[in-house]
Amino acid sequence: MPLLLFSQPFMDSPLIPLIIEWSLKIFFIFGGLMTALAYLTWFERRVLAYIQMRLGPNRVGPAGLLQPLADGIKFIFKEDIVPLDADKFLYTLAPIMSLVPALTCYVLLPFGDKFVMPGLNREIPLHITHVNVGVLAIFALTGMGVYGIVLAGYASNNKYSLMGGLRSSAQMVSYELAMVMSIIGVLLQAGSLDLVEICKHQAGWFGMQWHLFTYPPTGIIGFFIFLIAMVAETNRVPFDLPEAETELVAGFHTEYSSMKFAMFFIAEYANMVTASAMATILFLGGWMGPFVDQFPLLGPVYFTAKVGFFLFLYVWLRGTLPRYRYDQLMNLGWKFLLPLSLVNLVLTATIALFFM
Amino acid sequence: MPYQAPLPREYYALMPEIAVSITGIVIMMYDAFAPKGSRRGAGYIALAGLVAAGVSVAYLWNESIPPAFSGMLLTDKLRLFFDAIFILVAGVSVLMAMQPLDDERLPAGEYFTLLMFATVGMLLMGGAGDLAMLFLGLETLSITTYVMAGYRRGDLRCNESALKYFILGSFSTGFLLYGIALTYGATKSTNFLKIQQAIASGQITYEPLLTIGVAMILIGLCFKVATAPFHVWTPDVYEGAPTMVTGFMAAGPKAAAFAIFARVFVQVFSPDVPNAANLAATWTDAVALIAVLSMIVGNVIAIQQTNIKRMLAYSSIAHAGYALVGVLARDWQSVAFYMLTYAVMNLGAFTIVTILARQGDEKTELDDYAGIGFHSMGLSVVLMIFMLSLGGIPLTAGFMGKLVIFKQGWQAGFHEVVIIGVLNSAVSLYYYLRPLVVMFFKERETPYVPPKVTAPFYAALAISVIAVFYLGMFPNRTLNALEMNNASKDAKAPAAALPAGGVR
Amino acid sequence: MVPLSWYLALSAVLFTMGAVGILIKRNVIAVLLCLEMMLNAANLALVAFSSFFQQTDGQLLVFLVMVVAAAEAGVGLAIVISVFRNRETLDVDESHLMKL
Amino acid sequence: MTIQQIVFIVFALIITAGGVGVLVQRNPLYSAFSLILSFIGLAAMYILMGAQFLGVIQIVVYAGAIMVLFVFVIMLLNVRDDELHPDRHKYLLYIGVPLGLGLIAEVFYVVTRVQIAPAITDMHATGTVGTVERIGVGLLTEYLLPFEATSVLILMAVIGAMHLAKREKE
């Protein structure tokens, strides 16, 4: 919120058209994203079904396309149960704390470069707001997401929930380190924390000078560390320890039902999208690709396609990999990913020093 | 002015810190890869590193190095003399800890690493040329000391000691930091030289900010050196911490805090600086009050103690009071000399307490000392030497330290404070002599097994005893090194100034 | 524009609350929280001075203070855990094995 | 009243409310969350003063790391409400509250006087001192030595915390 208020455009330009532009962008991006999130669940269930040789939801609407709608209606009309010994205030706060940071991240993501509205002669940047510490801001927001899970675990007054919350906070804090360390190489190359600048830095080579390919092999190593850490950050298989149903029932959201549960659910998918978008921006050139200079509207298409690839990857992982054990997870994070990302950082810096 | 990268000679100025840091890292590596049985090795590595640091201090002694690292690091006699004290304290602490760590099966690698980096913190404090460096050095020292105080983690008293030390230490850090912030607000800089220039040229944004800032820094430092109204944590922390750590805490961090005291109050906010008369008058009054209170509170409560560690804790409060007289006299040399004498005799006393305390610090009550005088003759006589020195009997270091500091105080015109100090030292003899009376003249009711004294203990005791007598009988060399013997009061102004050379 | 004195007043209020909290709170964790509050009060004052003087120094110092705060929090909580292992309470008043 | 002043007042109220919350709440978890609220308000203040980098870092470090650690420990030890000891430590309340009132009074004295002193009320926070570039360059040039010293500090904190929180091997 404060970032939005004090970002540069707000201070400088005339207010009224800006507010209109913002409202429209917010409406489209959030409207689109919420729909996309809903269909992400459908997508996941269908793909998972194909991987497991099942059919998946195909009853509601053609090919099950109305399934998310049905799910939504079900969530709204279910009874909202609050456990008797729960801490009522925190119990209600938890899903909000989980969802709000997750959705706020979208304010910062650039979906493409500027484009000029025909007839209006007004340059519209394809992102809601632009701050020059974008990467840090995203990490700040995703870091806040831990609280939702922790609070849910604590407030439910249920030992499985508590364990889930504890595990999740430990896991997210541990993997955040490796995640941040893995992208410092990228930031070193781009020389900026600004998401738009980082994307533009990858414009060379016909729109294919992605950080994944530059400075081999550091780009690829960094990318894989980021990929693993991002799956762990979003608590997805194979790192879904906080909600490991075989040991913890459903983890931190065991006691939640109805819309509160739905909010956790949406937050999880929203975080997946954010993480995928970050991976896209940092390593796969964001909206960059061939011919994007000539046709600026190709940018969002490329961007969506790349994000979609990562989302598919998430589902693919879920369909194929078994769950890690908790101590293995911690060992992987602290004893492998973190040292590796540090070595990678030193390597990147060395290459940058001698070959730049 | 454009920034210039540090020159090689600026790294020379950092040599002691670098040497000790590398030693710490080497100890960690050694501990990780050495076979399980070899616990002593870490200690010997630590000693070697400290010797290297000592050599580098000696090397720097005659060099004249301008402020390094954009004025962050000052190299002058004040820094180097205190550096020598810190290295000595660290060395004796290593020797003191080797045997107990073995006996109690505590991890030696971590202990010596923490000790090494605590020393780095102290060294950085001694050389701090900027409030930022001062803060960081102090925090490095504090954080390592918190951990060392709670080092025996299965022992509840140890845990509580660490907890109390942590809470009150951080509380004082808060005050210190707020003081730094306000001082920055008043002078537009955190660099000592620039602060001094700002005061001298009258470019203070707002006078009360500076006064309150200095007051808060004073409060923060008084917590760290444990002077009277801010001393409440000392006895509990000293009693609960493992004795070897208490010995270190009483000597090292206290000397380091006094190094800062000397730097900040004797040099930066000195009354010799133009336009600083009001400010200096304010802090002088406060420090005089604190000094008197510390002496009285420390000595009076120490009389009632039955635990030797608590007694030494209160005695350390009293000694902080004496040392403040040197700050009052605006004479850092006497403070430095006093801290040196205090460090050696205190470390010696705590070494004996460590030896007698046995495993888990079980025997630290005075009753445990009853009648051991003729069973462990050597230990008792050596303890007697340290106790007499702490009490200020002639021919010992303690006497020389007190003589120097009270003489400077008297010459600077703080007659009342000095008189109270001398009276207090007389009172203190009562409780310093009590362990001796107990040891030699009280009947023992329980059987007594003489403790095992091993080589590291002998070395620690030898260093302390020799230092006590050397400083007590032949102090001239040390005082000459501090340029105290020939310096008349008129030549005082340059001695109290920050090293010249300007900030690049 | 917001005058400097407003920031200073806010920082002083925050510092006071932290200091008072350390004295009156009983739970160790709450005491640690109050310590953080004191450090943050100092940070606010430093940032205010630094941006009003248009100097980077103060903000650099704030950055260092944040590092220190993180280190302190880590060690402090470790101490709390070690105390809690041996005694199942976090009440400061219950830490009275040694008399004051 | 300019828009900045209104924003300041709003966030100042949030910060103060958070601080009061820490003092008043009996459940440490509620205290922790009050403090997080306070820290977020402080981040907004930093951004209002043009210290963007510190504003974001405030959230990343304090709200995202330090407070998570606190909350984690609160949950690990599963602390619920404070136990009440009505008689004990009353005297600290008697010391603490007057001390607080005294400090507040002093603050208002100083603040009113600062407003009179023209030297610092006229200045306004604008400009670019708080950008990432300036902070980064500052840390690696003039503040090189303190920056390196912090690494020592962090290393010690890690070793110390690990030693203290490790379980005793019996």
Side-chain angles (χ1 to χ4, degrees), chain B residues 210-483:
Chain B
L210 185 62
T211 316
I212 297 178
V214 171
M216 285 198 157
I217 292 179
L218 182 67
I219 293 175
L221 287 180
C222 282
F223 261 111
K224 295 285 177 195
V225 296
T227 50
F230 314 105
H231 68 280
V232 281
W233 57 273
T234 326
D236 285 359
V237 171
Y238 279 26
E239 189 192 344
T243 311
M244 55 204 175
V245 179
T246 314
F248 173 73
M249 282 194 318
K254 185 161 278 199
F258 266 107
I260 289 186
F261 232 117
R263 179 77 76 192
V264 173
F265 287 98
V266 177
Q267 293 193 336
V268 181
F269 300 122
S270 156
D272 301 331
V273 178
N275 294 327
N278 276 336
L279 181 67
T282 315
W283 73 250
T284 309
D285 289 347
V287 171
L289 187 67
I290 291 169
V292 170
L293 262 180
S294 306
M295 294 176 203
I296 295 174
V297 169
N299 284 319
V300 169
I301 305 184
I303 292 176
Q304 308 158 1
Q305 299 306 316
T306 56
N307 181 304
I308 190 134
K309 278 163 89 179
R310 287 183 84 84
M311 189 203 91
L312 284 171
Y314 281 107
S315 122
S316 88
I317 295 167
H319 279 280
Y322 303 140
L324 280 181
V325 177
V327 176
L328 280 176
R330 308 205 303 280
D331 182 83
W332 68 262
Q333 287 97 333
S334 61
V335 178
F337 185 73
Y338 193 84
M339 286 329 288
L340 177 63
T341 59
Y342 173 71
V344 291
M345 58 204 187
N346 213 33
L347 280 170
F350 272 107
T351 310
I352 305 264
V353 177
T354 310
I355 296 174
L356 292 175
R358 312 294 171 83
Q359 274 186 36
D361 284 343
E362 279 158 3
K363 302 194 187 308
T364 54
E365 293 295 317
L366 270 182
D367 289 341
D368 297 325
Y369 285 67
I372 65 173
F374 298 104
H375 292 96
S376 295
M377 192 70 174
L379 287 179
S380 311
V381 168
V382 177
L383 181 62
M384 184 172 78
I385 293 169
F386 294 129
M387 285 294 168
L388 292 177
S389 177
L390 281 165
I393 299 292
L395 292 184
T396 59
F399 172 73
M400 238 24 242
K402 281 199 179 109
L403 183 71
V404 166
I405 214 152
F406 285 147
K407 194 176 112 203
Q408 300 290 0
W410 187 267
Q411 281 176 353
F414 294 93
H415 301 264
E416 302 85 351
V417 183
V418 172
I419 291 169
I420 294 172
V422 173
L423 290 178
N424 265 295
S425 325
V427 173
S428 70
L429 270 179
Y430 172 76
Y431 63 86
Y432 286 128
L433 290 176
R434 214 164 57 156
L436 309 179
V437 175
V438 171
M439 279 196 300
F440 286 103
F441 302 113
K442 201 167 166 198
E443 278 303 315
R444 190 172 179 87
E445 281 139 19
T446 47
Y448 175 75
V449 186
K452 192 175 70 183
V453 186
T454 46
F457 278 139
Y458 278 122
L461 288 177
I463 292 173
S464 314
V465 171
I466 292 170
V468 163
F469 283 121
Y470 176 75
L471 292 173
M473 290 192 262
F474 315 103
N476 281 340
R477 233 180 105 88
T478 318
L479 290 175
N480 280 337
L482 283 168
E483 294 158 5

Side-chain angles (χ1 to χ4, degrees), chain C residues 23-45:
Chain C
L23 293 178
I24 64 170
K25 289 302 274 189
R26 255 192 232 100
N27 191 298
V28 181
I29 292 189
V31 171
L32 295 189
L33 292 173
C34 291
L35 288 171
E36 295 296 328
M37 205 162 27
M38 282 173 83
L39 293 185
N40 269 278
N43 278 358
L44 180 62

Side-chain angles (χ1 to χ4, degrees), chain A residues 141-157:
Chain A
L141 287 169
T142 49
M144 296 297 288
V146 187
Y147 289 118
I149 295 173
V150 167
L151 270 186
Y154 181 86
S156 301
N157 212 353

Side-chain angles (χ1 to χ4, degrees), chain A residues 3 6-9 108 129-137 187 191-198, chain D residues 47 50-54 56 127-128 130-134:
Chain A
L3 285 172
F6 304 118
S7 64
Q8 220 48 51
L108 298 158
T129 184
H130 181 199
V131 291
N132 66 359
V133 285
V135 176
L136 281 177
L187 302 179
S192 173
L193 289 173
D194 186 333
L195 293 172
V196 176
E197 289 299 316
I198 291 172
Chain D
I47 293 168
Q52 312 153 355
F53 178 69
L54 285 180
V56 181
T128 57
T131 56
V132 190
E133 289 85 355
R134 292 285 292 273

